Structures are given as structure tokens and as C-alpha cells.
């Protein structure tokens, strides 16, 4: 069918024509903002899920919803960086939010004060004042300038919350890829939000990230459990997965036969990104207007080749030889979470010997630990890909007597 009219969106963060299966999260978000608007408290949320399940798309829907309710929305993608960089990112996010809150010419005392606190917060990372350009205020000495991320961020978010309240609006920070925040950064954010919640201020943060959100300890853990829900999103249920394929086709005057849909669901397991890639490939081979099972069969090799080349291969290319050996051994055991010792056993090693490799794969975001002692792929169908990419198990090189003696 006409490639120009192809209605599927196999791109990271691309809003699909039909966003399916996310009604519960949308309702939770709506309730959060509505309750906070009237000064009530409500748990915020950090959406977790594997690669390609639609976390970024969902944050995009949250943005539209928040704008509809006249909230100030600031979106940022977090990256793995030091505290200085994190501070800069917060400065940029809060600066944007102050300008969004009300036009500068009409800034009230509260907004001006928040700008002054922001200036204090930024001084250590930006003495020249480039990041806070255009605000024309002096730093609020004694606030947000202790060089303690947690205390400084609390001062900042409280000042911004008061400014938001004063302008009759709320502020929601949407942070994507939160698994890249260090424990210290996440703790600082959590404890700052704890302060704003205590004071009933309309500021909140909604995050999204891989299911390995930093392990928190002590107070931060108990705050985080009270302040946040951690809803998990995954593959779509049968009806939603079918609709995610059918609705875009219908919008272009095409449709699917039932057995074509059955096969498409089997191939994609209902994962949103895979649905988009398969839908896209099928569109390219089908004569239409009804897409048949034969069309899907014809498209599957193209779909797999596309996934292998882009989605999967880039991840494997970043791995060292030892990491590949580990990933391949894991794939041998199947798609589920695997015990460290079982994976090590496949390649004739003890789990302690493979510990550093496993830790590095977790650090790279290829694996995560759903529970203690287990690791799973962060990318759906990665096990199948590994079997395609490396058909035979690879064994680690023989170790010398000396290294063996050390174990
Ligand atoms: N609810 C949905 N229904 C159908 N398709 C969806 C849905 N959500 C997302 N998609 C599609 O799935 C793909 C992945 O979406 P998105 O980039 O939001 O995933 P992600 O979870 O943020 O992935 P990553 O962890 O790699 O950042 C996109 O092609 C998008 O169009
Ligand atoms: Mg994303």
C-alpha cells in the first residue's frame, strides 16, 4: 500500500495514532493533578517498564493532559551525569517553569523570590549567570546555596511551589529515563518533594524509567513509598494490541483479517514498539485494502531484520566479549529473569566470577534486577535476538592455573 500513507509510528517517543491500554495511568494522573489543584495531597508516580513499551509516549500524553488543566509542564530527559550536571538540568527546568508560570512583566513577589532562590541554587555551577539569563534578580543569599543537594533542592522546590500557588497554577516536572539518576540525586528530589507535599504546594514530579529504579535506603525509601506509586506498564492486552494495529489501518481505509491479526499478536507479543514495526512492515508488502495472514508472513523477515539492525544490534555492539558470552548464556535459559548462579553454570563458571560482568550489564541498562539474585533483559525479545545473532553458545576462554588458584 502507499508508503506515504503508512500510519504506523515505529520511532522512539512517537505518538501513535491509537494510544491503547493506558487508561488507568491517565486516570491516575488526572486525579493527581485535580487533587493537588485543590490543595489535597496525592501520591505521584514513577512509571516503570521495559524498553519500547511506551513510557515516553505516556509522558507525552501526561503533558497534554496537564496543559489542558492549565498546569505548567516541564519535560526533561535525565542522563547519567554528575551532581553538577544534575544541578544545571534542574536550573534549566525551573527557569523554564518560571517563565511559563506568568509573563516576566507580571511576576509577583513570590515568583521574583523563586527566581532569586533559583539564582542562589545555580551560583556554584554557573557563577557567570548564563543559565539564569533574563531573570534580572539577585541571588537570595542563605537559600539553596549550602552546597548540599538535598537541602538546596528543597529550598528551591518550596520557593517554586509558593510561586506556583501564588499564580494559581500547578507545576509538574516530567522526567524521563529516571533510572539514570544517582541514588543521591533521586533522594534529593524525593526529599524536596516531601517538603512541598507537607506544605500542600502544587508541585509534583512524574517520572518514567526502566524497572531498576535506584535502590533507596533509609528515610528516602520510606518517603518514596509514601510519595510515589510505581505503576508498571508492559505489553498490551489482546484487545488493545489488536486495536493498536487495526485503528491506524482503518484511518487509511484499510483493515486486517482476523487470522492476520492473530499472527501479528503472536509475533509481537503485544509489545507497543514491535506492533508499530510490524504494522509498518506489513503495510509495505500488502496490496490491501484487507491485510491478510500471508501479508504478515511475508513481512515478518523484514520486521526481524529491521529490529535486529536497529533496536537490538546497537545494544549488543556496546558489549564486550565477556558480556556477550553472558548475554548468550542468559538467552539459552529463556526470556524470564534468571538466577546469577544458573547463568554462570551454563558457561561453567561460579556466579562470583561472573559478578563484575553482570554488574556492568546492569550498569549499561541491558539487564535489571527484578529481585535479589535475579537478572532479566530490559529489552523484550532480547533472548530471541541473541539466539538469532549468535546461534551457538560461546564459552569463556580457558583460564590459566594461576587465576583458577585465586578463585
Ligand atoms: N499505548 C501504545 N499503543 C500503541 N503503540 C504505542 C503505545 N505506546 C507507545 N507506542 C509505540 O511504541 C514505540 C515505543 O514507545 P516509547 O518510545 O514511548 O517507549 P519507551 O518505553 O519510552 O521506550 P524506551 O525505554 O526505549 O525509551 C513507539 O513506536 C510508539 O509509537
Ligand atoms: Mg523512552
Amino acid at each position: 500500500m502507499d508508503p506515504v500513507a503508512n500510519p504506523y509510528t515505529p520511532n522512539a517517543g512517537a505518538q501513535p495514532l491509537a494510544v491503547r491500554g493506558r487508561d488507568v495511568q491517565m486516570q491516575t494522573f488526572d486525579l493527581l493533578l485535580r487533587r493537588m489543584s485543590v490543595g489535597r495531597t496525592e501520591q505521584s508516580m514513577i512509571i516503570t517498564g521495559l524498553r519500547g513499551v511506551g513510557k515516553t509516549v505516556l509522558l507525552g500524553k501526561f503533558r497534554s493532559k496537564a496543559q489542558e488543566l492549565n498546569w505548567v509542564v516541564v519535560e526533561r530527559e535525565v542522563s547519567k551525569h554528575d551532581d553538577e550536571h544534575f544541578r544545571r538540568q534542574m536550573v534549566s527546568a525551573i527557569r523554564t517553569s518560571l517563565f511559563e508560570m506568568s509573563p516576566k512583566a507580571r511576576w509577583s513577589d513570590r515568583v521574583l523570590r523563586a527566581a532569586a532562590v533559583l539564582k542562589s541554587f545555580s551560583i556554584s555551577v554557573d557563577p557567570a549567570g548564563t543559565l539564569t539569563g533574563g531573570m534580572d534578580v539577585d541571588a537570595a543569599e542563605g537559600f539553596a546555596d549550602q552546597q548540599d543537594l538535598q537541602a538546596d533542592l528543597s529550598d528551591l522546590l518550596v520557593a517554586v511551589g509558593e510561586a506556583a500557588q501564588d499564580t494559581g497554577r500547578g507545576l509538574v516536572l516530567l522526567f524521563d529515563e529516571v533510572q539514570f539518576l544517582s541514588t543521591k540525586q533521586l533522594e534529593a528530589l524525593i526529599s524536596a518533594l516531601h517538603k512541598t507535599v507537607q506544605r500542600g504546594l502544587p508541585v509534583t514530579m512524574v517520572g518514567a524509567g526502566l524497572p531498576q529504579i535506584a535502590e533507596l535506603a533509609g528515610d528516602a525509601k520510606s518517603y518514596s513509598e509514601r510519595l510515589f506509586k510505581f505503576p508498571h506498564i508492559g505489553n498490551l492486552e489482546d484487545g488493545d494490541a489488536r486495536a493498536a494495529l487495526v485503528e491506524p489501518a482503518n484511518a487509511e481505509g484499510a483493515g486486517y483479517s482476523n487470522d492476520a491479526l492473530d499472527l501479528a499478536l503472536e509475533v509481537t507479543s503485544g509489545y507497543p514498539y514491535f506492533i508499530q514495526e510490524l504494522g509498518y512492515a506489513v503495510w509495505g508488502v500488502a496490496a490491501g485494502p484487507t491485510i491478510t495472514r500471508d501479508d504478515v508472513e511475508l513481512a515478518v523477515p523484514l520486521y526481524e531484520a529491521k529490529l535486529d539492525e536497529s533496536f537490538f544490534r546497537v545494544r549488543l555492539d556496546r558489549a564486550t566479549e565477556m558480556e556477550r558470552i553472558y548475554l548468550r548464556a542468559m538467552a539459552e535459559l529463556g526470556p524470564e529473569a534468571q538466577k546469577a548462579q544458573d547463568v554462570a553454570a551454563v558457561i561453567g563458571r561460579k556466579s562470583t566470577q561472573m559478578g563484575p560482568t553482570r554488574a556492568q550489564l546492569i550498569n549499561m541498562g541491558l539487564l535489571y534486577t527484578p529481585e535479589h539474585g535475579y537478572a532479566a533483559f530490559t529489552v523484550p525479545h532480547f533472548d530471541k535476538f541473541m539466539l538469532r545473532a549468535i546461534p551457538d553458545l560461546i564459552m569463556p576462554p580457558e583460564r590459566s592455573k594461576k587465576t583458577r588458584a585465586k578463585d
Side-chain angles (χ1 to χ4, degrees), residues 123-358:
I123 274 177
S124 64
V125 290
D126 178 36
T130 327
L131 293 176
T132 49
M135 294 200 319
D136 307 323
V137 286
D138 292 325
E141 265 174 56
F143 288 90
D145 57 4
Q146 292 183 52
Q147 290 320 306
D148 174 284
L149 192 59
Q150 192 159 323
D152 293 354
L153 198 57
S154 294
D155 284 353
L156 179 62
L157 288 195
V158 166
V160 174
E162 286 171 350
Q165 195 172 43
D166 196 48
T167 48
R169 302 187 69 182
L171 164 65
V172 55
L173 302 168
L174 298 176
F175 285 173
D176 204 354
E177 304 281 350
V178 288
Q179 76 278 359
F180 288 136
L181 290 173
S182 69
T183 305
K184 182 176 164 199
Q185 293 160 359
L186 190 58
E187 279 178 359
L189 257 176
I190 285 169
S191 92
L193 287 167
H194 186 232
K195 285 264 155 45
T196 60
V197 166
Q198 277 175 334
R199 299 190 189 195
L201 298 171
V203 181
T204 192
M205 188 271 281
V206 170
L210 292 176
Q212 81 217 19
I213 303 304
E215 281 171 26
L216 296 168
D219 286 348
K221 186 173 164 68
S222 79
Y223 292 158
S224 80
E225 283 165 358
R226 270 181 287 154
L227 287 175
F228 290 101
K229 297 179 180 120
F230 291 88
H232 187 80
I233 63 170
N235 49 349
L236 302 178
E237 283 175 16
D238 192 276
D240 288 323
R242 280 172 201 267
L245 277 164
V246 171
E247 284 177 17
N250 286 352
E252 291 298 331
Y256 280 80
S257 72
N258 279 336
D259 56 351
L261 280 179
D262 293 342
L263 180 59
L265 258 63
E266 208 178 287
V267 171
T268 59
S269 313
Y271 279 104
Y273 170 58
F274 297 161
I275 287 178
Q276 299 301 334
E277 277 297 3
L278 185 61
Y280 192 87
V282 170
W283 189 271
V285 300
T290 299
I291 293 165
T292 64
R293 191 175 172 101
D294 283 349
D295 294 331
V296 178
E297 260 163 24
L298 206 62
V300 167
L302 304 172
Y303 152 88
E304 280 186 350
K306 170 74 198 303
L307 286 182
D308 285 5
E309 257 166 50
S310 50
F311 191 59
F312 293 127
R313 175 63 62 186
V314 287
R315 298 188 150 86
L316 187 60
D317 283 351
R318 284 170 20 224
T320 63
E321 183 62 13
M322 207 56 195
E323 287 157 7
R324 284 161 182 255
I325 292 173
Y326 196 88
L327 293 170
R328 179 60 184 79
M330 251 184 91
E332 190 73 11
L333 297 170
E336 309 81 18
Q338 304 296 342
K339 263 193 197 152
Q341 68 199 62
D342 294 347
V343 182
V346 171
I347 44 180
R349 294 278 173 104
K350 288 197 205 114
S351 61
T352 46
Q353 291 160 353
M354 298 311 292
T357 306
R358 182 173 176 275

Side-chain angles (χ1 to χ4, degrees), residues 12-13 51-52 54-57 77 176-177:
R51 288 285 171 209
K55 300 180 293 297
T56 303
V57 162
E77 186 176 312
D176 204 354
E177 304 281 350

